[in-house]
Structure formats: C-alpha cells, structure tokens
C-alpha cells in the first residue's frame, strides 16, 4: 500500500491537468459562476478519501481524526475540521470519476464479466429506509434478495478493471453488457446469468465472442479446451468483487445521500486500481498467441 504522501503525488499530477480544464468548462457553460477556492486543494481531499479505502479502517471519522490528523498533520497544513471536510467531500465526485477513467486497464482479449450487489440497508429495514427511497430497488442474486444497486464489472486476466457500470438492483445482468463490452477485442467469459442468444448474436456482430457456462437442464456447449479452461478461471472476477467489498470497502449501509454513495463507490474502485498486487492469471504471451490462432 502507498502511504499518503506517495498517493498525493499521483493524485496531484492528475489534478494539475484535469482541474483547470474542468473549471474552465464549468465557467464557459454557466454551470459554475463563482470560483471560491477551498482551503484544502482538490488533490489533498482526494488523497485522504482514497487513502481511507486503501487502509484497513472501517470508520471514516476515526480514520480522519485519529490517523490523518495525528500522523499526517504536517503533510496537510490546511487540514479542515471533520464536519467541514464532510461538507466539501461531494466536490471531489467528478474529479474522482475522471481519475478512475485514467486508471482503468486495457482489454487483453481475455475478459471476464460479473455483477455484485451493493446493499444499502438490511432487508428488514427496507420499508422504513429513506435515503434511497425511490432510487434503489430490490434485486436477487446468488445470495438471495437485497435492496440497493448492482455493480457490473469487466476485468482482464491481469486483474485490471476494464469497464464498470452501476444499475439499480432490479436490472438484469444482461442489460448493461453491450455498453460495457463496446470496445473489447475478442472473448468475454461469463456465468450462466449471461445466457442469451440475442445478446450473444449482438456481441458477435461487434467482434466480441460471449462464452458462458450452461444450466443443468441444458445440453453441453461445444467449445475449445482453452475456453473451458478460461471459464474455470472465472474466480478471478469473484475475487476482485470480494476485495472491492471487504478491502476497498465499497459497500456499507450508513449512507446519508446519493452523493455519499457515489463517492464511496468511486473512491473504492480507485483504491483497487492503485493496488500493486492484484489477482491475476499466469498466462504467458505464447499461450495468448496460441489462443488467438485457435
């Protein structure tokens, strides 16, 4: 894990390019009329937020007050009070999304797709849940019913996130696939939740071959040994989903606004992208070239 000073250098390099262009666009289209600067810079705020998701803390208040304020007070001389920092945190959403887009991996020709639930409250609290009332929806996954959203991911065999999309919990897994797989060069591996002849045909027209497992009551598909081997390696994306939830901490039930949910999710994705040791498949270039020829 990077310390906050190293992380700040990476984030600051991005902000020096992005922030001036973003502010110029906001002024030109009339979205923003005033340019009142915060005492802390955007890169400082983003660094602290991302750092929380790279740490093992589960309480942002204790992380901010008991870790950053104690050990990095000199590194952040203009550190805001905790309550003021919470007020200005939503300002980092757009830069955080842009930063994530620069960190995404490139397609390698061996991609995996899956979705995971993002619960916003326990099922027994659904009737009295107010924060996402009218926004979140009930959905059903392998672990049963939930209330919230779904995160749809495509990752390559190196463990890098290639594409991501958030939908409400009631959206079927197959719906976002065409948008997510728009620029993929070759094969996309998924579980039986992505079985759809129409989807498979549409992707094939765009140069993407969707390869899935089959249900127990279906005939076995004819496929190469390589494709069977890759389907058995789908644990890589399940491992990534697990790390996003339990290490990058993208899911919890204490959100008080949609802005807080969005920022928490994006910062968690960024924190994962900055991980040095990602789950990956040990596939050599020779094996990849043999697969392409086949």
């Amino acid at each position: 894990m990077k310390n906050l000073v190293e992380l700040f250098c990476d984030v600051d390099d991005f902000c020096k390019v992005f922030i001036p262009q973003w502010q110029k666009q906001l002024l030109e289209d009339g979205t923003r009329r005033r340019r009142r600067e915060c005492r802390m810079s955007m890169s400082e705020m983003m660094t602290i937020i991302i750092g929380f998701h790279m740490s093992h803390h589960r309480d942002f208040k204790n992380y901010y007050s008991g870790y950053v304020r104690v050990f990095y007070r000199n590194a952040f001389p203009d550190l805001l009070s905790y309550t003021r920092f919470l007020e200005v945190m939503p300002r980092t959403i757009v830069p955080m999304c842009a930063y994530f887009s620069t960190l995404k991996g490139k397609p390698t020709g061996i991609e995996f797709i899956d979705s995971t639930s993002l619960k916003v409250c326990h099922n027994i609290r659904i009737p009295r849940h107010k924060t996402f009332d009218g926004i979140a929806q009930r959905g059903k996954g392998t672990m049963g019913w939930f209330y919230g959203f779904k995160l749809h991911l495509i990752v390559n065999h190196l463990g890098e996130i290639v594409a991501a999309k958030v939908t409400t919990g009631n959206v079927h897994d197959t719906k976002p696939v065409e948008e997510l797989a728009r620029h993929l060069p070759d094969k996309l591996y998924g579980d039986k939740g992505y079985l759809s002849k129409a989807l498979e045909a549409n992707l094939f027209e765009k140069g993407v071959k969707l390869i899935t497992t089959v249900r127990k009551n279906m005939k076995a598909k004819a496929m190469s040994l390589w494709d069977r081997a890759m389907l058995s390696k789908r644990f890589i994306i399940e491992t990534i989903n697990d790390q996003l939830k339990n290490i990058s901490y993208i899911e919890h039930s204490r959100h008080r606004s949609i802005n807080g949910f969005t920022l928490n999710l994006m910062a968690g994705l960024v924190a994962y992208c900055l991980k040095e040791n990602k789950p990956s498949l040990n596939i050599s270039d020779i094996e990849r070239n043999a697969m392409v020829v086949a």
Side-chain angles (χ1 to χ4, degrees), residues 166-219:
V166 178
T167 64
T168 53
N170 60 345
V171 173
H172 196 273
D173 287 351
T174 57
K175 276 201 169 183
V177 175
E178 289 189 53
E179 180 183 351
L180 289 170
R182 189 180 302 158
H183 302 296
L184 297 187
D186 196 0
K187 294 184 178 181
L188 179 63
Y189 297 94
D191 61 19
K192 56 181 175 290
Y194 295 93
L195 278 170
S196 169
K197 290 185 177 180
L199 175 62
E200 189 174 340
N202 291 340
L203 289 177
F204 188 77
E205 290 179 0
K206 299 173 182 177
V208 180
K209 186 176 181 182
L210 178 63
I211 301 170
T212 65
T213 54
V214 295
R215 297 188 178 93
K216 292 181 180 179
N217 60 348
M218 296 175 64
K219 292 182 179 179

Side-chain angles (χ1 to χ4, degrees), residues 34-46:
R34 299 173 62 191
R35 287 191 59 181
R36 183 179 177 184
E37 297 296 334
C38 179
R39 200 171 77 197
M40 287 186 72
S41 68
M42 184 67 70
S43 51
E44 287 177 321
M45 292 188 291
M46 288 176 62

Side-chain angles (χ1 to χ4, degrees), residues 100-117:
F100 170 64
S101 68
T102 67
L103 297 174
K104 289 191 296 185
K106 295 181 180 179
T108 61
I110 307 172
E111 270 70 48
F112 301 87
I113 187 168
D114 198 8
S115 69
T116 187
S117 61

Side-chain angles (χ1 to χ4, degrees), residues 63-128:
Y63 167 79
Y64 189 83
S65 303
Y67 180 70
V68 177
R69 186 175 291 280
V70 173
F71 297 103
Y72 287 92
R73 192 67 180 84
N74 294 331
F76 300 99
D78 296 319
L79 199 65
L80 302 173
S81 67
Y82 173 70
T83 53
R84 177 56 182 161
F85 191 86
L86 291 183
E87 290 176 3
V88 299
M89 276 177 68
R91 299 182 184 182
T92 65
I93 293 177
V94 173
M96 194 74 75
C97 293
Y99 187 41
F100 170 64
S101 68
T102 67
L103 297 174
K104 289 191 296 185
K106 295 181 180 179
T108 61
I110 307 172
E111 270 70 48
F112 301 87
I113 187 168
D114 198 8
S115 69
T116 187
S117 61
L118 297 175
K119 306 180 188 70
V120 296
C121 74
H122 193 280
N123 284 349
I124 62 175
R125 299 192 186 96
I126 294 174
R128 62 179 185 269

Side-chain angles (χ1 to χ4, degrees), residues 23-72:
Q23 290 178 338
K24 181 181 178 182
Q25 180 182 347
L26 291 177
L27 291 171
E28 288 177 350
D29 62 19
T31 305
R32 181 177 178 185
R33 297 181 183 279
R34 299 173 62 191
R35 287 191 59 181
R36 183 179 177 184
E37 297 296 334
C38 179
R39 200 171 77 197
M40 287 186 72
S41 68
M42 184 67 70
S43 51
E44 287 177 321
M45 292 188 291
M46 288 176 62
T47 297
I48 291 173
I49 296 168
I50 297 168
F52 167 68
H53 290 270
M54 298 180 76
S55 71
H56 294 286
H57 288 79
R58 287 296 176 264
D59 184 337
F60 185 76
K61 184 175 183 178
N62 288 335
Y63 167 79
Y64 189 83
S65 303
Y67 180 70
V68 177
R69 186 175 291 280
V70 173
F71 297 103
Y72 287 92

Side-chain angles (χ1 to χ4, degrees), residues 186-187 209 224-227 287-294:
D186 196 0
K187 294 184 178 181
K209 186 176 181 182
S224 66
L225 291 175
W226 174 271
D227 289 338
E287 290 173 320
R288 284 182 57 201
N289 291 336
M291 181 271 293
V292 173
V293 172

